[in-house]
Amino acid sequence: RPDPGGLVVVLFTEGRPDPGVAPPWLLCLWGASGAGSFMYITLCIWLAMHASICSHSFCVRMLTQVVRLPIPTKEQLDAARVLATDFEGTKVREMLRVPVVNQQLKKLHSMVDHLNDDGSDPSDVFSEETMLDADGRPVATDTLAHVRLYRKMQANWQAYDAYARVSMAMGTNQFLQQ
């Protein structure tokens, strides 16, 4: 039983019609079928590469021009920093604490309490990744502006992706029926 890599070699050596035995029109059809299958697969590669380049360029454009990280002002940076004099009157335990753990635990407890109030299973808290608003409530991701913008931009490369898949199916089908 030949392996899948050997199938290609077998199709072009043992499965090929003999020039002296087969009529010339059958040889022409066999050659046209082989050339057509390779053209479909080449078209598939070209369309898939074009879809990939389009999607990456639109994503970079969106990340650099639309969804920009806010740059803090000097006042915000001054409010966030801690001076050495702030540690003089604190306990060692408070100095060595892991930052934001208490805040995250409070958010987790409020989420579990919220889910238990709904009658849902608390083990489903981490079943899918969710975004939380400032109050700790889950936010529907399809309402976010950058998600809607990304879905609109998908129209620029979805056709290339779809035709690449069709070309791959047609090329493979024609190649196997050769």
Side-chain angles (χ1 to χ4, degrees):
R1 173 175 154 165
D3 62 339
L7 177 66
V8 175
V9 175
V10 168
L11 282 175
F12 280 104
T13 56
E14 296 175 15
R16 179 170 129 3
D18 291 328
V21 178
W25 60 269
L26 184 61
L27 290 173
C28 288
L29 286 177
W30 182 82
S33 176
S37 68
F38 283 114
M39 287 176 54
Y40 273 122
I41 292 174
T42 304
L43 179 67
C44 166
I45 292 169
W46 180 78
L47 288 170
M49 286 175 43
H50 190 71
S52 175
I53 290 169
C54 280
S55 68
H56 282 89
S57 65
F58 278 108
C59 287
V60 166
R61 179 174 176 234
M62 185 177 73
L63 288 174
T64 56
Q65 294 179 0
V66 178
V67 183
R68 305 231 10 148
L69 291 175
I71 299 173
T73 63
K74 185 176 181 331
E75 292 80 23
Q76 290 172 331
L77 289 175
D78 287 340
R81 70 180 172 157
V82 178
L83 301 174
T85 56
D86 295 338
F87 285 104
E88 290 178 358
T90 59
K91 298 177 184 175
V92 175
R93 179 181 170 156
E94 188 63 27
M95 283 187 226
L96 299 178
R97 71 175 173 81
V98 179
V100 303
V101 169
N102 291 335
Q103 295 167 351
Q104 294 298 324
L105 285 174
K106 286 178 187 176
K107 283 184 182 179
L108 178 65
H109 289 304
S110 68
M111 259 179 61
V112 170
D113 292 340
H114 176 70
L115 288 175
N116 284 337
D117 292 342
D118 293 345
S120 56
D121 186 14
S123 62
D124 290 340
V125 172
F126 298 108
S127 63
E128 66 180 53
E129 188 175 330
T130 58
M131 293 187 62
L132 303 176
D133 62 2
D135 298 329
R137 293 185 308 259
V139 176
T141 55
D142 58 347
T143 61
L144 299 173
H146 67 280
V147 173
R148 285 188 310 227
L149 178 64
Y150 185 79
R151 288 183 178 165
K152 285 181 185 176
M153 286 195 306
Q154 276 182 331
N156 292 310
W157 69 84
Q158 273 184 334
Y160 297 111
D161 183 46
Y163 284 121
R165 292 168 192 255
V166 169
S167 296
M168 177 60 79
M170 293 287 294
T172 305
N173 184 23
Q174 193 166 357
F175 183 73
L176 291 177
Q177 289 184 1
Q178 177 179 330

